[in-house]
Amino acid sequence: MPIAQNPLSVEVTLPREDVVLLTVEGCLDADTATELQAHLANQLHHGRRHFLFDLSRVPFMDSSGMNIILRVYQEVRDRPGSVHIIDPAPAVRRILDLTGVSITVPVSRTADDALALVDRPPGESKEQD
C-alpha cells in the first residue's frame, strides 16, 4: 500500500481562547486538504472565531487549499471573526495574489502581526504586507 506522496502536517496552537494558529507544512492540495479541513471543523466546533494560517512551510497550494481558507472566512465573518494568512511561501503568495484571495484575507509577516490585526478596531486598514 503506497504512502501519501505529499503528507500534510498541521500543528494547532491556541494563542488565546478565541484564536487558533494552524501551522501547515507540506503541499496543500486535493489529496491533503481533508486533513486541514478536519482541524478547522474541530476548531469551529469549539467556538474559535479567529483563524491564523501559517503557510510559510507550504511550497504548493491549489484551489482546494484556497477554498478551505475562503470557506472558513465565510463561516467566521458573522461570528464576528477573522482569517489571516501568515508568511506564505513565494509560490503560494503568488497564487493568493493572482486569485485575489490576499485582498479578502489579510496577509501578515508574523503571527504577532496577525494577532495585532485581530485586535485592531473595525474599519482600520487590514494590510500588513
Side-chain angles (χ1 to χ4, degrees), residues 30-128:
D31 292 333
T32 61
T34 54
E35 174 78 16
L36 179 58
Q37 185 63 46
H39 286 287
L40 292 171
N42 184 43
Q43 295 305 315
L44 285 164
H45 175 75
H46 284 92
R48 309 290 181 244
R49 296 184 314 122
H50 302 283
F51 290 77
L52 295 94
F53 292 91
D54 181 339
L55 301 181
S56 60
R57 291 181 265 168
V58 176
F60 173 81
M61 181 173 71
D62 69 7
S63 61
S64 301
M66 287 184 293
N67 286 336
I68 288 173
I69 291 169
L70 291 173
R71 273 185 286 186
V72 170
Y73 173 82
Q74 290 290 329
E75 180 81 24
V76 301
R77 71 180 192 177
D78 293 332
R79 288 191 180 216
S82 61
V83 175
H84 304 268
I85 297 171
I86 300 166
D87 194 27
V92 172
R93 177 63 191 248
R94 181 167 164 74
I95 295 296
L96 295 170
D97 289 345
L98 287 172
T99 59
V101 172
S102 61
I103 294 170
T104 303
V105 179
V107 177
S108 300
R109 289 184 186 93
T110 67
D112 287 339
D113 290 344
L115 281 170
L117 289 178
V118 168
D119 295 333
R120 186 170 287 170
E124 288 189 26
S125 175
K126 293 181 180 180
E127 194 67 25
Q128 281 286 316

